[in-house]
Short mmCIF file of all heavy atoms in Angstrom, two decimals:
data_model
loop_
_atom_site.label_atom_id
_atom_site.label_comp_id
_atom_site.label_asym_id
_atom_site.label_seq_id
_atom_site.Cartn_x
_atom_site.Cartn_y
_atom_site.Cartn_z
N ASP A 18 104.64 90.34 94.06
CA ASP A 18 103.38 89.67 94.35
C ASP A 18 102.27 90.53 93.75
O ASP A 18 102.01 91.64 94.22
CB ASP A 18 103.20 89.53 95.87
CG ASP A 18 101.95 88.78 96.26
OD1 ASP A 18 101.01 88.69 95.44
OD2 ASP A 18 101.90 88.29 97.40
N ASP A 19 101.61 90.02 92.71
CA ASP A 19 100.58 90.80 92.02
C ASP A 19 99.36 91.07 92.88
O ASP A 19 98.69 92.09 92.70
CB ASP A 19 100.13 90.07 90.75
CG ASP A 19 101.14 90.20 89.63
OD1 ASP A 19 101.93 91.16 89.65
OD2 ASP A 19 101.14 89.35 88.73
N CYS A 20 99.06 90.19 93.82
CA CYS A 20 97.85 90.36 94.63
C CYS A 20 97.94 91.57 95.55
O CYS A 20 96.99 92.34 95.66
CB CYS A 20 97.56 89.11 95.44
SG CYS A 20 97.10 87.71 94.42
N ASN A 21 99.06 91.73 96.23
CA ASN A 21 99.18 92.86 97.16
C ASN A 21 100.26 93.87 96.75
O ASN A 21 100.60 94.74 97.54
CB ASN A 21 99.41 92.36 98.59
CG ASN A 21 100.70 91.59 98.74
OD1 ASN A 21 101.51 91.56 97.83
ND2 ASN A 21 100.88 90.96 99.88
N ARG A 22 100.79 93.70 95.55
CA ARG A 22 101.77 94.64 94.99
C ARG A 22 103.01 94.78 95.87
O ARG A 22 103.63 95.85 95.95
CB ARG A 22 101.14 96.00 94.73
CG ARG A 22 99.82 96.00 94.03
CD ARG A 22 99.85 96.18 92.57
NE ARG A 22 100.58 97.36 92.18
CZ ARG A 22 101.01 97.54 90.96
NH1 ARG A 22 100.78 96.65 90.05
NH2 ARG A 22 101.67 98.62 90.64
N GLU A 23 103.41 93.69 96.52
CA GLU A 23 104.59 93.68 97.38
C GLU A 23 105.79 93.19 96.60
O GLU A 23 105.71 92.22 95.86
CB GLU A 23 104.34 92.74 98.57
CG GLU A 23 105.52 92.61 99.49
CD GLU A 23 105.28 91.60 100.59
OE1 GLU A 23 104.26 90.88 100.56
OE2 GLU A 23 106.14 91.50 101.47
N ALA A 24 106.92 93.88 96.76
CA ALA A 24 108.16 93.44 96.14
C ALA A 24 108.75 92.34 97.02
O ALA A 24 109.14 92.58 98.16
CB ALA A 24 109.14 94.59 96.01
N LEU A 25 108.78 91.12 96.51
CA LEU A 25 109.32 89.99 97.26
C LEU A 25 110.83 89.91 97.15
O LEU A 25 111.50 89.40 98.04
CB LEU A 25 108.69 88.69 96.77
CG LEU A 25 107.17 88.60 96.87
CD1 LEU A 25 106.69 87.31 96.24
CD2 LEU A 25 106.72 88.72 98.31
N LEU A 26 111.37 90.40 96.03
CA LEU A 26 112.80 90.29 95.79
C LEU A 26 113.23 91.35 94.79
O LEU A 26 112.55 91.57 93.79
CB LEU A 26 113.12 88.90 95.23
CG LEU A 26 114.56 88.68 94.80
CD1 LEU A 26 115.37 88.19 95.98
CD2 LEU A 26 114.63 87.67 93.69
N VAL A 27 114.34 91.99 95.06
CA VAL A 27 115.01 92.88 94.11
C VAL A 27 116.48 92.50 94.15
O VAL A 27 117.14 92.65 95.17
CB VAL A 27 114.81 94.37 94.46
CG1 VAL A 27 115.57 95.25 93.49
CG2 VAL A 27 113.34 94.73 94.49
N GLU A 28 116.98 91.99 93.05
CA GLU A 28 118.36 91.49 92.98
C GLU A 28 119.05 92.16 91.78
O GLU A 28 118.55 92.07 90.67
CB GLU A 28 118.34 89.97 92.82
CG GLU A 28 119.67 89.30 92.87
CD GLU A 28 120.12 88.99 94.28
OE1 GLU A 28 119.30 89.01 95.20
OE2 GLU A 28 121.32 88.72 94.45
N ALA A 29 120.17 92.82 92.02
CA ALA A 29 120.88 93.52 90.95
C ALA A 29 122.18 92.79 90.62
O ALA A 29 122.80 92.16 91.49
CB ALA A 29 121.18 94.95 91.35
N GLY A 30 122.59 92.88 89.36
CA GLY A 30 123.85 92.28 88.94
C GLY A 30 124.17 92.69 87.52
O GLY A 30 123.36 93.32 86.84
N LEU A 31 125.37 92.34 87.08
CA LEU A 31 125.77 92.67 85.71
C LEU A 31 125.18 91.70 84.70
O LEU A 31 125.07 92.02 83.53
CB LEU A 31 127.29 92.71 85.60
CG LEU A 31 127.96 93.82 86.42
CD1 LEU A 31 129.47 93.73 86.28
CD2 LEU A 31 127.45 95.19 86.01
N SER A 32 124.80 90.51 85.16
CA SER A 32 124.13 89.55 84.27
C SER A 32 123.30 88.61 85.11
O SER A 32 123.55 88.44 86.31
CB SER A 32 125.15 88.76 83.45
OG SER A 32 125.90 87.90 84.28
N PHE A 33 122.30 88.02 84.51
CA PHE A 33 121.46 87.04 85.18
C PHE A 33 121.22 85.86 84.25
O PHE A 33 120.19 85.78 83.58
CB PHE A 33 120.11 87.64 85.61
CG PHE A 33 120.15 88.26 86.97
CD1 PHE A 33 120.08 89.62 87.12
CD2 PHE A 33 120.27 87.46 88.09
CE1 PHE A 33 120.13 90.20 88.37
CE2 PHE A 33 120.32 88.03 89.35
CZ PHE A 33 120.25 89.40 89.49
N PRO A 34 122.17 84.92 84.21
CA PRO A 34 121.93 83.72 83.42
C PRO A 34 120.80 82.90 84.06
O PRO A 34 120.46 83.09 85.23
CB PRO A 34 123.26 82.97 83.47
CG PRO A 34 124.01 83.54 84.62
CD PRO A 34 123.47 84.93 84.85
N ALA A 35 120.23 82.00 83.31
CA ALA A 35 119.08 81.22 83.77
C ALA A 35 119.37 80.50 85.09
O ALA A 35 118.51 80.48 85.98
CB ALA A 35 118.67 80.22 82.70
N ARG A 36 120.55 79.95 85.25
CA ARG A 36 120.85 79.21 86.49
C ARG A 36 120.84 80.15 87.69
O ARG A 36 120.42 79.76 88.79
CB ARG A 36 122.17 78.46 86.39
CG ARG A 36 123.39 79.32 86.30
CD ARG A 36 124.69 78.50 86.39
NE ARG A 36 125.83 79.26 85.95
CZ ARG A 36 126.31 80.35 86.56
NH1 ARG A 36 125.73 80.82 87.63
NH2 ARG A 36 127.36 80.99 86.09
N ALA A 37 121.24 81.40 87.53
CA ALA A 37 121.22 82.36 88.63
C ALA A 37 119.78 82.71 89.00
O ALA A 37 119.45 82.85 90.18
CB ALA A 37 121.99 83.62 88.25
N VAL A 38 118.92 82.84 88.00
CA VAL A 38 117.51 83.12 88.26
C VAL A 38 116.88 81.96 89.02
O VAL A 38 116.17 82.16 90.01
CB VAL A 38 116.74 83.39 86.94
CG1 VAL A 38 115.25 83.51 87.19
CG2 VAL A 38 117.27 84.65 86.27
N VAL A 39 117.17 80.73 88.61
CA VAL A 39 116.64 79.55 89.29
C VAL A 39 117.13 79.50 90.73
O VAL A 39 116.35 79.23 91.65
CB VAL A 39 117.01 78.26 88.52
CG1 VAL A 39 116.67 77.02 89.33
CG2 VAL A 39 116.32 78.22 87.17
N GLU A 40 118.40 79.77 90.96
CA GLU A 40 118.95 79.76 92.32
C GLU A 40 118.26 80.80 93.20
O GLU A 40 117.90 80.51 94.35
CB GLU A 40 120.45 80.03 92.29
CG GLU A 40 121.27 78.88 91.75
CD GLU A 40 122.74 79.23 91.56
OE1 GLU A 40 123.14 80.36 91.94
OE2 GLU A 40 123.47 78.38 91.04
N VAL A 41 118.06 82.00 92.69
CA VAL A 41 117.41 83.05 93.45
C VAL A 41 115.96 82.67 93.76
O VAL A 41 115.48 82.86 94.88
CB VAL A 41 117.48 84.40 92.68
CG1 VAL A 41 116.57 85.44 93.29
CG2 VAL A 41 118.91 84.91 92.64
N LEU A 42 115.25 82.10 92.79
CA LEU A 42 113.87 81.69 93.03
C LEU A 42 113.78 80.54 94.03
O LEU A 42 112.86 80.49 94.84
CB LEU A 42 113.20 81.32 91.71
CG LEU A 42 112.97 82.48 90.74
CD1 LEU A 42 112.39 81.97 89.42
CD2 LEU A 42 112.06 83.53 91.36
N GLU A 43 114.75 79.63 94.00
CA GLU A 43 114.78 78.54 94.98
C GLU A 43 115.00 79.10 96.39
O GLU A 43 114.37 78.65 97.35
CB GLU A 43 115.88 77.53 94.64
CG GLU A 43 115.58 76.66 93.43
CD GLU A 43 114.45 75.69 93.67
OE1 GLU A 43 114.23 75.27 94.82
OE2 GLU A 43 113.77 75.34 92.68
N GLN A 44 115.89 80.07 96.53
CA GLN A 44 116.11 80.69 97.84
C GLN A 44 114.84 81.39 98.33
O GLN A 44 114.48 81.29 99.50
CB GLN A 44 117.25 81.72 97.76
CG GLN A 44 118.61 81.12 97.59
CD GLN A 44 119.67 82.18 97.38
OE1 GLN A 44 119.37 83.37 97.23
NE2 GLN A 44 120.93 81.77 97.34
N LEU A 45 114.16 82.08 97.43
CA LEU A 45 112.92 82.76 97.78
C LEU A 45 111.86 81.75 98.20
O LEU A 45 111.12 81.98 99.16
CB LEU A 45 112.44 83.60 96.60
CG LEU A 45 111.25 84.51 96.84
CD1 LEU A 45 111.57 85.53 97.92
CD2 LEU A 45 110.84 85.20 95.56
N LYS A 46 111.81 80.62 97.51
CA LYS A 46 110.85 79.56 97.85
C LYS A 46 111.11 79.04 99.26
O LYS A 46 110.18 78.81 100.03
CB LYS A 46 110.92 78.43 96.83
CG LYS A 46 109.91 77.33 97.07
CD LYS A 46 109.93 76.31 95.95
CE LYS A 46 110.99 75.28 96.20
NZ LYS A 46 110.91 74.13 95.26
N GLU A 47 112.39 78.87 99.62
CA GLU A 47 112.74 78.39 100.97
C GLU A 47 112.39 79.42 102.04
O GLU A 47 111.97 79.07 103.13
CB GLU A 47 114.23 78.05 101.03
CG GLU A 47 114.61 76.81 100.27
CD GLU A 47 116.10 76.53 100.31
OE1 GLU A 47 116.80 77.15 101.14
OE2 GLU A 47 116.57 75.71 99.50
N GLU A 48 112.58 80.70 101.72
CA GLU A 48 112.35 81.76 102.71
C GLU A 48 110.87 82.00 102.97
O GLU A 48 110.46 82.13 104.12
CB GLU A 48 113.00 83.06 102.26
CG GLU A 48 114.51 83.04 102.35
CD GLU A 48 115.12 84.33 101.86
OE1 GLU A 48 114.44 85.37 101.83
OE2 GLU A 48 116.31 84.30 101.50
N ILE A 49 110.06 82.11 101.91
CA ILE A 49 108.66 82.49 102.11
C ILE A 49 107.67 81.42 101.67
O ILE A 49 106.48 81.56 101.92
CB ILE A 49 108.33 83.81 101.40
CG1 ILE A 49 108.43 83.68 99.90
CG2 ILE A 49 109.17 84.95 101.93
CD1 ILE A 49 107.87 84.87 99.14
N GLY A 50 108.14 80.35 101.02
CA GLY A 50 107.23 79.29 100.58
C GLY A 50 106.61 79.62 99.23
O GLY A 50 106.87 80.65 98.63
N VAL A 51 105.77 78.71 98.78
CA VAL A 51 105.09 78.87 97.50
C VAL A 51 103.64 79.28 97.75
O VAL A 51 103.08 78.96 98.80
CB VAL A 51 105.16 77.59 96.64
CG1 VAL A 51 106.60 77.29 96.26
CG2 VAL A 51 104.57 76.41 97.36
N PRO A 52 103.02 79.95 96.81
CA PRO A 52 101.62 80.34 97.00
C PRO A 52 100.71 79.11 97.12
O PRO A 52 100.94 78.10 96.47
CB PRO A 52 101.28 81.11 95.73
CG PRO A 52 102.57 81.43 95.08
CD PRO A 52 103.55 80.42 95.54
N SER A 53 99.71 79.22 97.96
CA SER A 53 98.75 78.12 98.06
C SER A 53 97.70 78.30 96.97
O SER A 53 97.44 79.41 96.51
CB SER A 53 98.06 78.15 99.43
OG SER A 53 97.37 79.36 99.61
N THR A 54 97.15 77.18 96.53
CA THR A 54 96.13 77.24 95.49
C THR A 54 94.86 76.63 96.04
O THR A 54 94.87 75.73 96.86
CB THR A 54 96.55 76.45 94.23
OG1 THR A 54 96.79 75.09 94.61
CG2 THR A 54 97.81 77.05 93.63
N SER A 55 93.74 77.15 95.62
CA SER A 55 92.46 76.57 96.00
C SER A 55 91.68 76.27 94.74
O SER A 55 91.62 77.07 93.81
CB SER A 55 91.69 77.55 96.90
OG SER A 55 91.51 78.78 96.23
#
Side-chain angles (χ1 to χ4, degrees):
D18 183 340
D19 284 336
C20 293
N21 62 10
R22 313 265 306 163
E23 178 185 7
L25 301 175
L26 174 88
V27 177
E28 186 86 16
L31 295 177
S32 68
F33 271 110
R36 67 172 165 65
V38 173
V39 170
E40 288 173 4
V41 168
L42 292 176
E43 288 292 332
Q44 289 175 353
L45 187 61
K46 183 174 85 171
E47 289 177 14
E48 288 179 21
I49 65 169
V51 295
S53 61
T54 58
S55 57

